[in-house]
Amino acid sequence: MSEYVIHADKPVVAYKRSDPLFLISVLMLWGLGIFTILICTQGVGERLFHNRYYFLWRQLACSAVGAVGLVFFAAVPVNALRRFSLTFAATSVVLCFFALLPVIGSAKNGAPRWVSIPHLITFQPSEMVKFAMVLYLSHLFDKHSAEYEENNKEFMVPAIGLIILAGAIFAQRDLSTSVMVFGIGVCMFIVSGSPVRVFVPIMFLLFPFTALVILTQRYRLLRILSFFRPDDYTTTSGYQALASKRAISAGGIWGVGTGSGLDSNLTIPEIQTDYIFAGWATAMGLIGVWGYLLLLGIFVFRGMKIAVSCPNKFAALGAFGCVFTIAVQSMVNLAVVCGVAPTTGIPLPFFSSGGSSLIITLCMCGFVINASHCDADNDSGSEKKKISDIEFSESFGETVVEL
């Protein structure tokens, strides 16, 4: 009887393991964010909702939803995610305009930025736009890159799409987020190798337009004035930034710990959202600040390494966009908290209380994890062979099957 031996030129299944350091950095940032919510929001939770752990339980509930999103975007093949990228972008724009409607739209501090279903859910569509923009541009740059190189007019399609996405956020009276989204989109154009000359006139128009928008809205003008002349606005628009700097200074090198010393943070309005890092700096001091920056650096470095080494162009551009978005948000928030930038309202990823931000951040991380183990042609990482590709040969009484 002949002996049958199977030889494979390449593994039938070429599975690539996800980047462990990136995954660890995500879990650590996520855990530190929940811990910071616990130690910094007990006083404000008791004062506003008569529940010291209100913001903690809320963050944990949103974390559960975000974990589902992370697993979903990490497990679903990237080619399947690509197919719904345009629908995702269109849905995010529609939801932004839903926030302007009186029935389902919800306004806070005069800004209509939330879609609210009573007794069920409140969601901020602008957070969804950030992720949608990344997937939308990644899809177009991958699918039509050759067309953009041959005909620069085709380049206008993603440019107009980016303007619509940023404009939908601007319609919600959210200038800072719309400018950030537009800037990140331009960076994705540059990274993809697309010509960016069309943005030159747009950028020249953007600066005077932004200045006009700031000058015509009193609260935006006060933010700029209080940034440059903080001593003149210590009890009004500049109070939050000054209180944040006092809290950071109180932390010193080693921090005051997680005990009663954090009661001083109650002087910072809305500490649970945009200024949550001031609470972390107070509790952990300069050592804690450097520890966070080190962890964020590992997150960005490993994420960018995934983007550079990913053989699938859509996944690579998407991973770059997701990591870059989280990094820019983090640095802008830290600049505001430390008083080196005007107040923007941009939350700190993983840390700020707010379900929309946390859920979308975890979904982005899931996509980066997906990119770390996807394949160039088949994102599942497996190679399938047709029966017609199998060759049979016999040699010295044994049958060899070559794949």
Side-chain angles (χ1 to χ4, degrees):
M1 181 181 295
S2 299
E3 181 181 358
Y4 292 88
V5 182
I6 298 179
H7 299 288
D9 292 336
K10 61 181 68 178
V12 175
V13 177
Y15 177 75
K16 294 174 63 179
R17 187 181 62 175
S18 301
D19 190 312
L21 287 179
F22 179 80
L23 181 58
I24 291 173
S25 66
V26 170
L27 295 177
M28 291 188 67
L29 287 169
W30 189 2
L32 287 180
I34 294 176
F35 176 71
T36 306
I37 288 288
L38 169 64
I39 64 176
C40 296
T41 64
Q42 295 184 35
V44 68
E46 179 68 28
R47 180 160 51 89
L48 296 179
F49 301 99
H50 306 291
N51 183 352
R52 295 179 62 85
Y53 302 108
Y54 171 84
F55 291 105
L56 174 63
W57 290 117
R58 180 182 172 185
Q59 198 79 343
L60 289 173
C62 294
S63 292
V65 178
V68 174
L70 185 149
V71 172
F72 174 83
F73 282 97
V76 175
V78 292
N79 286 340
L81 296 176
R82 176 209 298 272
R83 286 192 287 269
F84 89 98
S85 60
L86 299 181
T87 303
F88 189 29
T91 302
S92 66
V93 171
V94 171
L95 289 176
C96 281
F97 288 104
F98 275 4
L100 305 177
L101 300 178
V103 179
I104 61 175
S106 177
K108 296 180 181 179
N109 298 323
R113 301 175 185 174
W114 287 264
V115 173
S116 178
I117 301 176
H119 309 294
L120 185 59
I121 189 174
T122 299
F123 187 75
Q124 192 171 3
S126 61
E127 295 294 332
M128 183 177 175
V129 171
K130 299 172 187 175
F131 192 19
M133 180 269 296
V134 169
L135 296 183
Y136 167 75
L137 293 182
S138 300
H139 166 67
L140 292 183
F141 291 149
D142 181 23
K143 186 177 181 181
H144 303 288
S145 58
E147 299 176 13
Y148 298 151
E149 293 176 0
E150 296 175 0
N151 186 359
N152 289 340
K153 292 183 179 179
E154 298 291 338
F155 162 80
M156 294 300 296
V157 175
I160 293 174
L162 175 60
I163 293 173
I164 292 174
L165 289 166
I169 300 177
F170 176 76
Q172 300 178 322
R173 298 179 61 185
D174 193 350
L175 176 63
S176 56
T177 303
S178 62
V179 171
M180 185 191 72
V181 167
F182 184 80
I184 292 172
V186 172
C187 289
M188 290 191 65
F189 273 84
I190 297 173
V191 170
S192 68
S194 302
V196 294
R197 64 179 66 93
V198 71
F199 285 110
V200 174
I202 294 177
M203 295 302 291
F204 277 109
L205 294 174
L206 182 63
F207 288 111
F209 174 77
T210 303
L212 179 63
V213 170
I214 293 174
L215 293 174
T216 54
Q217 293 289 336
R218 186 174 183 273
Y219 75 95
R220 289 175 180 150
L221 181 60
L222 287 175
R223 286 182 178 181
I224 301 298
L225 293 175
S226 62
F227 172 71
F228 287 105
R229 301 176 62 182
D231 294 336
D232 296 338
Y233 298 91
T234 55
T235 59
T236 54
S237 57
Y239 175 79
Q240 196 173 30
L242 290 174
S244 174
K245 287 189 284 187
R246 286 196 299 266
I248 294 174
S249 300
I253 296 179
W254 302 104
V256 300
T258 60
S260 59
L262 290 180
D263 289 342
S264 61
N265 287 331
L266 294 177
T267 62
I268 305 177
E270 304 291 337
I271 186 176
Q272 73 277 7
T273 55
D274 303 342
Y275 283 83
I276 189 69
F277 192 75
W280 169 260
T282 305
M284 301 301 172
L286 183 62
I287 299 299
V289 172
W290 281 110
Y292 166 80
L293 292 176
L294 175 62
L295 190 57
L296 180 65
I298 295 173
F299 171 86
V300 174
F301 175 76
R302 300 305 300 185
M304 289 302 178
K305 185 175 181 180
I306 290 171
V308 170
S309 60
C310 180
N312 186 304
K313 186 175 181 180
F314 167 73
L317 289 173
F320 166 81
C322 290
V323 174
F324 190 63
T325 299
I326 294 173
V328 169
Q329 280 188 243
S330 301
M331 298 312 296
V332 170
N333 181 275
L334 294 186
V336 171
V337 171
C338 295
V340 296
T343 303
T344 60
I346 293 177
L348 181 62
F350 298 105
F351 279 68
S352 293
S353 176
S356 304
S357 175
L358 180 60
I359 291 170
I360 295 300
T361 297
L362 291 176
C363 288
M364 286 184 172
C365 293
F367 186 88
V368 178
I369 293 171
N370 199 335
S372 70
H373 59 72
C374 77
D375 187 74
D377 298 318
N378 190 335
D379 39 64
S380 66
S382 62
E383 303 249 356
K384 296 181 180 179
K385 286 286 185 177
K386 298 179 181 178
I387 296 297
S388 59
D389 294 334
I390 300 178
E391 299 178 359
F392 295 87
S393 62
E394 291 192 14
S395 176
F396 301 104
E398 66 178 14
T399 300
V400 179
V401 181
E402 296 184 354
L403 301 181

